[in-house]
Amino acid sequence: MSSVKPGDVVLVYIDDSRKFVVKATPGKILGTDKGFIKHEDLIGRLYGESVVTSQGVKAILLHPLRHDYSSTVRRITQIIYPKDASLMIYYSGLKPGGIAGEAGVGSGVLTLSLAEIVGENGLVYGFDVNEKALENARAHLEIHGLSSRVRLIKHDVREPLGVTGLDAFFLDMPDPWNALDSVYQAVKPAGTVLAYVPTVNQVEKTVLSMERHGGFADIHAYETLLREYSVEEGATRPHTLMVGHTGFIVFARKIVVS
C-alpha cells in the first residue's frame, strides 16, 4: 500500500462534479464549495482513504488516471474527449520510447496523455501558435511531473517543423490539410498521422487532400460514441444525457513516394 508523499500528484474526489488534481505541498490549501482541505491532511494518508473538508464533507484520495485530466485541467480551448483521444492513441501505435508531434496543444489534455504513453525515454513535440495555450499546457505538465518528456514550441505547423523521424503526429487544428507537407517531412516512413476535426466538411477536405498528396495510405475517417448507463436495481437504463458527437478522427499512414 502506498501513501501520499510531499510532491505527489493526487486526485481529490468529492463527487463527479468535484474532482481536483493537486500536487501535495505543505502549506497549501485546496479550496472547494464544500469546504477547504489542508494539503498537510493529505500527506501520509493511503491512496483510497478519505479526508474530511472543513465543512465535514468526505473526499477520497486517488491516483489520477488519464481520463481525469479532461475534467480537471483549466480549459482555454475545446478539448479532445477521452473517447476520441484513446482511439487516436491506440491507432497511432505510439508506445514507450516513441517520439510524437502534436498541433495544436490547446488545453494540453492530449499532451498529458501522450507524455505518459511515451514514458521517460520518449519525447513529445507540442506545437501551437497561441502562447497562452503553451503556458497552460506547461503548467499542467509541471503539476504531473511530465515536463521533461515534452518540448513545447511556438510555431505554425503549416511551415516546416525542423524535426524528423517522428513515430506519429496528431493534428487538432481547423485546417489540417494545410499542414500535410510539413507533417509528411516530420514523420518517419510508415508512421501515423491522425487529425481531429469537428465537421464532415473538414473530414472530406482532409481525406481528399491526403489522397491528392500521394504520400499517405490506409486513410480512414471515424466517429466514436460513448454512452454511460445509470445502474439501479430494477431500473438500469442509459443516461438521459450523453456526450454524443464531439469530433471526427482521420487516420492515415505515411508512405514513401517513389
Side-chain angles (χ1 to χ4, degrees):
M1 294 186 292
S2 61
S3 59
V4 179
K5 300 180 293 296
D8 281 356
V9 179
V10 185
L11 174 68
V12 180
Y13 176 91
I14 296 176
D15 55 39
D16 284 347
S17 300
R18 298 172 178 85
K19 298 192 290 185
F20 308 92
V21 174
V22 301
K23 179 179 283 190
T25 307
K28 286 195 172 183
I29 292 176
L30 169 63
T32 81
D33 64 331
K34 295 296 183 179
F36 66 83
I37 301 171
K38 295 180 180 179
H39 282 215
E40 282 91 343
D41 294 337
L42 308 178
I43 296 170
R45 297 273 188 173
L46 294 175
Y47 286 96
E49 285 190 332
S50 60
V51 296
V52 177
T53 73
S54 60
Q55 294 182 15
V57 177
K58 184 171 75 171
I60 304 169
L61 310 184
L62 302 169
H63 290 288
L65 302 177
R66 290 186 191 114
H67 75 270
D68 294 315
Y69 299 158
S70 63
S71 59
T72 56
V73 300
R74 185 172 73 90
R75 301 185 187 186
I76 61 173
T77 62
Q78 182 58 267
I79 66 167
I80 298 180
Y81 279 80
K83 69 184 182 70
D84 298 317
S86 57
L87 185 68
M88 293 175 73
I89 292 171
Y90 182 81
Y91 270 46
S92 75
L94 200 60
K95 56 188 176 182
I99 306 175
E102 179 195 9
V105 170
S107 294
V109 174
L110 182 61
T111 315
L112 288 165
S113 295
L114 294 176
E116 281 207 330
I117 290 291
V118 301
E120 294 181 357
N121 296 319
L123 183 63
V124 177
Y125 291 94
F127 300 96
D128 207 299
V129 295
N130 187 328
E131 186 61 40
K132 287 186 178 179
L134 294 170
E135 291 175 2
N136 188 55
R138 192 173 289 114
H140 289 301
L141 288 164
E142 178 63 29
I143 290 173
H144 290 275
L146 299 172
S147 299
S148 63
R149 305 179 187 183
V150 180
R151 293 183 187 173
L152 295 173
I153 304 167
K154 187 175 182 181
H155 183 77
D156 188 340
V157 295
R158 300 169 186 85
E159 302 296 329
L161 301 177
V163 296
T164 58
L166 306 189
D167 297 293
F169 207 103
F170 299 80
L171 289 163
D172 180 15
M173 54 189 291
D175 56 337
W177 51 86
N178 285 326
L180 292 182
D181 286 339
S182 54
V183 169
Y184 181 84
Q185 296 300 323
V187 174
K188 69 182 184 182
T192 54
V193 177
L194 295 107
Y196 186 73
V197 291
T199 71
V200 291
N201 308 75
Q202 291 164 300
V203 171
E204 182 176 305
K205 195 160 186 177
T206 302
V207 170
L208 294 179
S209 295
M210 285 178 165
E211 291 175 346
R212 294 186 187 113
H213 184 280
F216 300 95
D218 194 19
I219 305 168
H220 300 274
Y222 303 99
E223 179 184 22
T224 61
L225 300 175
L226 178 68
R227 182 168 66 178
E228 187 175 356
Y229 273 64
S230 177
V231 180
E232 302 175 26
E233 187 173 357
T236 298
R237 61 199 184 281
H239 274 195
T240 304
L241 301 176
M242 67 176 286
V243 178
H245 172 72
T246 47
F248 298 102
I249 298 164
V250 176
F251 167 89
R253 304 177 198 251
K254 172 182 173 175
I255 59 173
V256 177
V257 181
S258 56

